[in-house]
Structures are given as structure tokens and as C-alpha cells.
Amino acid sequence: MVITVLNQWFEIYKERSLFHRYIAQGHVAPLLKNLKTSFKIESIGQSVLGVSIDVILVGTGNKKIFMWSQMHGNESTTTKAVFDILNAFENCEDHQIKQILSSCTIAIIPMLNPDGAKAYTRSNANEIDLNRDAQELSQPESKVLMKFYKSFKPDFCFNLHGQRTIFSAGKANKPATVSFLAPAQDESCAVTNNRRRAMEIIVQMNKVLQKQIPHQVGVYDDSFNINCVGDTFQRDNVPTVLFEAGHYAHDYPREVTRRYIFQSLLTAMNYIATTEITGNYYNDYFEIPQNEKLFYDIIIRNSYTAGGNFDIAVMFQEKLIEKTIEFVPIVEKIEDLNGFYGHKEINANNNAVLKANLEPLKVGDEIDFVLINSKKFSLILKNI
Ligand SMILES: [Zn+2]
């Protein structure tokens, strides 16, 4: 697929009623209602708090793709991209879109964890991480996912997530804007045929992304954990791809990353629709750097203290306040942060960095601004 066309489609089909970080069932329910005329939508179960978990079925082909988003309630970027794609499926007359729909049947659970989405938490209402519950199946959401997986019998699975701002793609000063993984399927992390097929799909997506966000794609390490859903489906010999929507410079609402997830999903589905995936073309997967945790939201360099000069790392804590997500700056570390990067950096030039009351900062402080040499530096997101 041509990148300029993918970008045009994104602008045309972007679901504008969904934006920023807080996406809950109340946002997507009216969209599902509207889609009902074109696509089949079924309620396949309920969350802990009794909210419907829905699946959307689209396409008529015999290659079956199953994807689910917001298994972690506070990871909403991929949900936005899913609805952008549904708009394209519904309205775009391009032959490539038509071919995806004639070659594939696609099942999408847009919000597996509606209770977590509403509360803006990773876990579900019982405080269980659904991505560690693939064996025990102790939670209703996990049972819904597994039951649908078994009845649909997918040929490919896409496990859609979002990742924190801490990740770099490798050791360079580049955020991991999108990350992938072809999860392991056994303790030895053997590169099996269906893992190679998942890797081959990732290679295709990486090619499209590298042209636009060079060195900003990473892969996760593949240590095996059978309690994770991706590892469980991979072990079942279904090629499974983990998608992680990450940080792009200044894009805390994740509206830029949303574009790259949209492109990645369409590229993957187009590849599946048009190719008999053998797993022969997987080698470039190993060229993608591994994710490292090298970023903080803000680093204040060279702060003078009586004990020596240190760097100060500040991280934004995401807080749900009146149905929007606010980013609250918290001091995370005061130490030498050589080798780490800030999405924003301030140089204190060996001056003391002080709070409003002229006390030095402490780890855990929630702080809107600092004083350096009597000058005020805002740490609030809209001001940086
Ligand atoms: Zn996640």
C-alpha cells in the first residue's frame, strides 16, 4: 500500500468523535449502533460490572483475522485506530480495501475491558491484569476472549495495546512510537514456523513505518509467559502479533501514533489478503531494535545540591479528572541520569532547582513548576 494513500485515507476516515486518551464504552456504543447497518455486531458476554463485550464481524473471505483492543483499559490508541479502519471498510471504494474484505473475515473486539476503560485502569474491575489470566481464565473478560477465539478459529491474531512513554527503540535517543512482538510459544523461544509468519507480517509493517518514523519502531523481548494471551495463542500455533502504540514527540494525546497504528493494521491485513504467508521472509524482524526503558517525560540536568550535582527525572502521572486525562508531573528520580533521555530536557547549569517554597525537590513531589536561578520553568504539559 502506498504511504500517501494510507495518509489520505487516515484523514478521510478518522473517527473524529474519538480523540485523546479517555475512550470508554460510552464513546464507542453509538458508533457500534451506526455500524450495525453494514457489519454484524454481536454481544458475546459481559464484564465484571455487567457491561456488554461486543465483537464486530466484517468481510467475507476465508482468511480469518481476530483482533482485540483495550484488554488494558487505559490503552486506548489502538481502539481509536480500529474505528478509523471500520470507517474505511464501510466507505472506501478502493480495490485494495475491497480485496481485504473479500479475502478475509475479520473479527474485532474493540473494548475487551470496558470496566477498566471507564475507570482508566490497566486491570479489570477485580483488579486483575487480563494479560496474565490466559491460563487461569479467572475473569469473565478472559473467558469471553477465549470462548470467542475457540469458536472463530482465527488464522492470525492481533493483540492491540499501548505502551508508556519510557520506551526507546534500542539505545538511541528515539522513542518507541510503535512496538511489536511475535511472542514466544515455548520456554526455549524457538523461532517456529508460525512465529516466523507473525514476524513476516511485522517486517511488512516496519517497512512502511521506517519511511516515516525512522528508528522509532521497537520489538519487545520474547521471554515466554504462558499466562499472557499472545503466548497462549502462539503456542496454539496461531501466528500472533502484539501491537504497542507508543510515544511520538509532543503527542501525549496519541493522535499521531494513532495514524501509524491505522497504517500498520491496514498494511498487515492487505499483506494477509494478497499473500500466502510462508514465514520465509522473516529475517528483517531481527534488525528491529529491542525496546529499552531509557526515557523520562522531563529531565532537569545538572541540578546543584549540597551532596553533588544530579539530574532530576519527572514523569507524568495520568489521572482521570472529569472524563479527561490530565498529566500530573511527579518527581521520579534524583540521580545521575547519564545515558537516559527526557522527552523534554531543561539544563539547570549547576544551579539549585527549587519548589515554590524555595525548598529543594524530593522524589515523589507533585510539582507544576520549578525555580532555577529565580526563573520559573513550567512542568505542566500544555506549557512545554
Ligand atoms: Zn497492554
Side-chain angles (χ1 to χ4, degrees), residues 105-248:
T105 299
I106 303 153
I108 306 172
I109 298 176
M111 189 173 282
L112 182 64
N113 177 8
D115 302 338
K118 187 173 185 192
Y120 200 70
T121 56
R122 176 180 172 89
S123 57
N124 74 349
N126 288 333
E127 298 186 7
I128 299 294
D129 183 339
L130 299 177
N131 207 22
R132 301 292 180 271
D133 193 37
Q135 292 303 310
E136 212 175 322
L137 299 177
S138 66
Q139 300 302 303
E141 296 89 352
S142 311
K143 290 183 184 126
V144 167
L145 182 73
M146 189 56 83
K147 191 173 165 206
F148 184 81
Y149 166 82
K150 286 192 167 152
S151 68
F152 185 63
K153 299 187 177 62
D155 299 302
F156 299 93
C157 287
F158 298 167
N159 187 7
L160 308 180
H161 289 255
Q163 67 188 358
R164 298 174 61 200
T165 54
I166 57 176
F167 292 103
S168 53
K171 296 201 186 309
N173 184 4
K174 293 277 185 183
T177 300
V178 179
S179 296
F180 297 111
L181 174 68
Q185 73 181 85
D186 53 37
E187 292 286 349
S188 73
C189 299
V191 181
T192 57
N193 176 259
N194 53 289
R195 281 192 80 198
R196 286 200 295 271
R197 291 161 72 206
M199 288 171 182
E200 187 173 328
I201 296 168
I202 292 168
V203 166
Q204 294 300 318
M205 294 189 283
N206 182 50
K207 265 196 234 169
V208 170
L209 295 176
Q210 288 298 338
K211 288 178 191 147
Q212 303 169 85
I213 44 170
H215 312 296
Q216 287 178 221
V217 180
V219 290
Y220 272 91
D221 84 79
D222 62 356
S223 50
F224 182 65
N225 184 346
I226 193 60
N227 297 314
C228 296
V229 171
D231 305 46
T232 293
F233 291 170
Q234 193 87 271
R235 192 185 59 170
D236 202 25
N237 281 322
V238 178
T240 299
V241 177
L242 171 73
F243 290 66
E244 292 276 358
H247 187 69
Y248 179 89

Side-chain angles (χ1 to χ4, degrees), residues 353-367:
V353 177
L354 303 172
K355 299 190 263 199
N357 62 5
L358 303 182
E359 299 268 328
L361 301 189
K362 291 194 308 291
V363 170
D365 280 344
E366 179 183 323
I367 190 159

Side-chain angles (χ1 to χ4, degrees), residues 66 106 179 255 275 284 351:
F66 176 33
I106 303 153
S179 296
E255 293 295 322
T275 317
D284 288 353
N351 290 297

